[in-house]
Amino acid sequence: MTTASGPFDPDDVTWTPVSFRLAHARLTVTAIVVVVGFAVTVPFALLVGAAWAWAPAAVVAALGLWAALLITRQVRAIAYAERVDDLLIRKGILFRSLVVVPYGRMQYVDVTAGPLARQFGIASVQLHTAAVGTNATIGGLPPQEAARLRDRLASRGEARLAGL
Amino acid sequence: MSTPVPGVPASATDPRAPEVAWRRMHPITPALKGWKALIALLAIVAYNMTDNIRNIGELMQDGRWRYVVAVVLAIAAVGFAYATIAWRVTKFVVDDEAVHLHTGVLFRQQRQARLDRLQAVDIVQPLLARLTGLAELRLEVAGGTGSAVSLAFLRESDAEALRAELLARAAGIRVRPDEAPAARAPEQPVFEVPMPRMLASTLRSSTTGWFVVFAVVIVASVVATRQIAPVFTLVPALLGVGGAMWTRVNQGANFRAAISPDGIRLRHGLTEARAQTVPPGRVQALRFTQGPLWRGPDWWRVEMNVAGYGGEKNQQTENVLLPVGTREEALLALWLVLPDLQVDDPRALLAAALAGSGEAGGFTSVPRRARLLDLVGWRRRGFLVTDRALFVRYGRIVRHLVVVPHERTQSLALKQGPIQRTLRVASIDVHSTAGPVHPMVEHLDQDVAAALLDEQTERARTARAGAGPEQWMRRPEAS
């Protein structure tokens, strides 16, 4: 992101963006929701026949369009970076966050891929520390990259493993 | 770590040779645990019947009470029978690496808790167990809710001996079976909370405040509408407040803290006695709290995060390091957790951290433009980094101070919402294990926040590298 200068863009960090296929997957979900929304609102409008009855359908269309625009921007904002001792994850446009997870604090790593994600050829990697608040998920990684990251994180975590 | 092996006797799947001496719980255990089924039933009945007292009256007519008594007796019998079978299949053994516990009647469970992952050892005595001289030993390992190993019930002296043995083994002292059992580590009393102060502090807590506000509203409405009905809503409110106060007093009563080579020892409880031992380096974060009514006597409440103590239900019980204490005792509580604070004047530091505001005492405060986000308390918001820990200060009406030792930082996050962005401020989340303390430094200047994030990551790393070993009596390996 061009706006991400300052606190969310530390020096000497090269960010790796996530696959844009994540946006495709999320857009598909949005499309399904919009179709379902139309399936309810359009017959309603046709049955009533008045002009105002099209308002719900218009709302659905507007929300869908807004979500579509948001999703592409959001996905472009997600990026991660592997540093020597920790992993950085950056996300968000309106509510921005930058999470730093030291490798030595990792308890376990999850790699998950739902049916839709598999269809689009992406997987997500989630890091767990002993803290419940650690929200370190990288969605939208190509499977081989997810596997590579998982192994890399596991080996680095082992090398720097400490207690709690 | 649990492996349910349904239908197979525990001994058949036990890969370990029969030379290990399995130990059993005390034979009175079923008599103490069998009541649970009955109490659960009574609770359900009472919950459903409180609305309709007439129902109970109807039940008692026409000799139907006999059926009621029969049902109660039957359920009690089932409860006791189940508890007896459960006791028969429950056994445990302690070796150098772990505690092995086999439980379960229908679903067998074999749990193995690694002693080097031990976070705390508690001896809990509910009222009934206390009367019979028994105790429950609970081992907390950092595995989230329900991960504790509970050995219930043992004879009190056995529980204490076992605790000493477990702590010695967890500390890295090897015990051979032919040697004398591990001696109890000597302990040094640090502070205790007198009962009058406990009662007074409970009366001055927010619970009372809310009740008074509620009562005033109700009385005002009665006077205004000239109807007496609203008064009756005061009764459940009073019961609720009374219950909350009782819980607080009950758990904080006879509170004593001591320090021993095995770590912090806490003893408390009026009906249910609890003796907690938290080994060195197991406290993940601390929070000091002072409500407005505690300001006069300068009382503080100190809570802690310990991995394994995370359960929501027991936060009031297990996570309290000091239920109410003077500032001097608050300092002692801090010293219990961080004996080597490495500052010149800990008293001055604590004074600035607990009651100060602005830049006094070396704190970094939030910029003036952030006042829009916290009109009341923005002057108090601030943080201070020492060699050992991060101090976060916030709250003006209810004062808070959060302390996180650097080596206990799990992960960090920098956050910024849209309003914060226009004000060029940002917040830092310091992730800690589950518990009452959620360390957060909010509304810092965004460049200060970014610098803090960077430095704190670095500090956490160095502190961890220099931290003592998990087995605290082992000498750190020379490096």
Side-chain angles (χ1 to χ4, degrees), chain A residues 3 7-8 83 85-86 93-102 105 129-134 162-164, chain B residues 119 142 284 307 407-418 421 431-433 446 453 457 461 464 470:
Chain A
T3 51
F8 288 88
R83 289 202 298 195
D85 290 296
D86 39 39
I93 301 161
L94 201 57
F95 292 88
R96 295 196 290 182
S97 78
L98 171 67
V99 181
V100 184
V101 188
R105 301 269 97 171
T129 69
V132 278
T134 306
L164 292 177
Chain B
Q119 300 295 319
Q284 308 276 336
E407 68 269 25
R408 300 291 152 226
T409 311
Q410 294 289 337
S411 58
L412 294 150
L414 178 68
K415 288 181 171 174
Q416 192 176 44
R421 194 171 174 185
H431 300 139
S432 181
T433 55
Q446 61 182 20
L453 183 80
T457 319
R461 185 160 54 236
R464 261 197 312 277
E470 283 283 284

Side-chain angles (χ1 to χ4, degrees), chain A residues 45-109:
Chain A
L46 291 174
L47 280 174
V48 174
W52 60 265
W54 286 96
V59 168
V60 168
L63 283 177
L65 201 66
W66 182 59
L69 288 173
L70 200 67
I71 282 168
T72 51
R73 290 193 64 202
Q74 265 178 343
V75 169
R76 282 212 188 90
I78 303 173
Y80 63 95
E82 292 166 75
R83 289 202 298 195
V84 184
D85 290 296
D86 39 39
L87 183 84
L88 305 184
I89 302 169
R90 186 179 72 183
K91 55 178 81 166
I93 301 161
L94 201 57
F95 292 88
R96 295 196 290 182
S97 78
L98 171 67
V99 181
V100 184
V101 188
Y103 297 130
R105 301 269 97 171
M106 275 184 332
Q107 300 291 325
Y108 60 100
V109 183

Side-chain angles (χ1 to χ4, degrees), chain B residues 63-115:
Chain B
R64 274 196 280 182
W65 61 272
R66 287 197 189 87
Y67 296 110
V68 176
V69 169
V71 166
V72 166
L73 283 180
I75 283 171
V78 169
F80 284 113
Y82 182 85
T84 312
I85 299 168
W87 172 78
R88 280 185 61 86
V89 297
T90 305
K91 52 183 182 173
F92 71 97
V93 71
V94 182
D95 62 22
D96 279 341
E97 267 83 47
V99 178
H100 307 260
L101 173 70
H102 289 192
T103 52
V105 177
L106 283 175
F107 294 91
R108 295 275 154 89
Q109 191 182 49
Q110 301 184 4
R111 183 170 278 190
Q112 190 179 351
R114 286 189 60 83
L115 284 177

Side-chain angles (χ1 to χ4, degrees), chain B residues 39-89:
Chain B
I39 287 167
L41 173 84
L42 287 180
I44 293 167
V45 171
Y47 185 77
N48 288 322
M49 289 260 185
T50 38
D51 297 338
N52 209 338
I53 294 171
R54 258 187 318 170
N55 275 359
I56 303 171
E58 279 171 25
L59 264 180
M60 292 304 158
Q61 286 168 10
D62 320 330
R64 274 196 280 182
W65 61 272
R66 287 197 189 87
Y67 296 110
V68 176
V69 169
V71 166
V72 166
L73 283 180
I75 283 171
V78 169
F80 284 113
Y82 182 85
T84 312
I85 299 168
W87 172 78
R88 280 185 61 86
V89 297

Side-chain angles (χ1 to χ4, degrees), chain B residues 192-413:
Chain B
E192 58 183 280
V193 181
M195 199 58 189
R197 191 205 292 160
M198 191 65 222
L199 290 170
S201 72
T202 310
L203 281 177
R204 283 169 176 244
S205 66
S206 57
T207 325
T208 326
W210 287 117
F211 179 72
V212 169
V213 169
F214 185 72
V216 166
V217 170
I218 293 295
V219 169
S221 73
V222 167
V223 170
T225 60
R226 293 175 185 284
Q227 280 182 344
I228 205 74
V231 170
F232 293 106
T233 57
L234 276 176
V235 176
L238 195 64
L239 284 178
V241 169
M245 283 182 169
W246 163 248
T247 316
R248 206 169 162 137
V249 170
N250 188 11
Q251 283 159 355
N254 307 322
F255 199 99
R256 279 161 296 151
I259 185 89
S260 79
D262 284 337
I264 307 166
R265 286 188 197 268
L266 306 172
R267 280 193 191 77
H268 53 102
L270 197 63
T271 54
E272 182 183 270
R274 193 177 276 264
Q276 297 172 257
T277 305
V278 183
R282 259 63 170 181
V283 177
Q284 308 276 336
L286 277 182
R287 183 178 66 189
F288 298 72
T289 315
Q290 183 183 53
L293 292 174
W294 285 19
R295 203 169 292 181
D298 201 16
W299 284 337
W300 293 87
R301 178 180 173 85
V302 186
E303 286 150 307
M304 59 184 174
N305 277 5
V306 173
Y309 276 168
E312 288 290 319
K313 195 183 71 177
N314 280 332
Q315 276 193 8
Q316 287 284 315
T317 319
E318 294 176 326
N319 295 67
V320 178
L321 183 57
L322 173 63
V324 52
T326 59
R327 185 173 296 194
E328 205 60 21
E329 283 163 351
L331 184 65
L332 282 172
L334 180 63
W335 172 80
L336 279 175
V337 174
L338 289 167
D340 52 339
L341 200 54
Q342 292 176 13
V343 289
D344 299 330
D345 190 354
R347 268 191 190 79
L349 166 73
L350 209 62
L354 292 176
S357 64
E359 307 272 334
F363 270 79
T364 308
S365 58
V366 304
R368 198 181 155 75
R369 58 180 187 272
R371 69 183 183 281
L372 286 173
L373 291 160
D374 185 359
L375 283 170
V376 180
W378 67 276
R379 276 176 208 278
R380 244 190 72 79
R381 282 195 188 278
F383 74 92
L384 173 71
V385 178
T386 72
D387 286 345
R388 292 286 287 117
L390 170 71
F391 290 74
V392 185
R393 184 185 68 185
Y394 62 95
R396 186 159 160 195
I397 295 166
V398 178
R399 289 166 166 174
H400 291 285
L401 169 70
V402 169
V403 182
V404 189
H406 291 319
E407 68 269 25
R408 300 291 152 226
T409 311
Q410 294 289 337
S411 58
L412 294 150

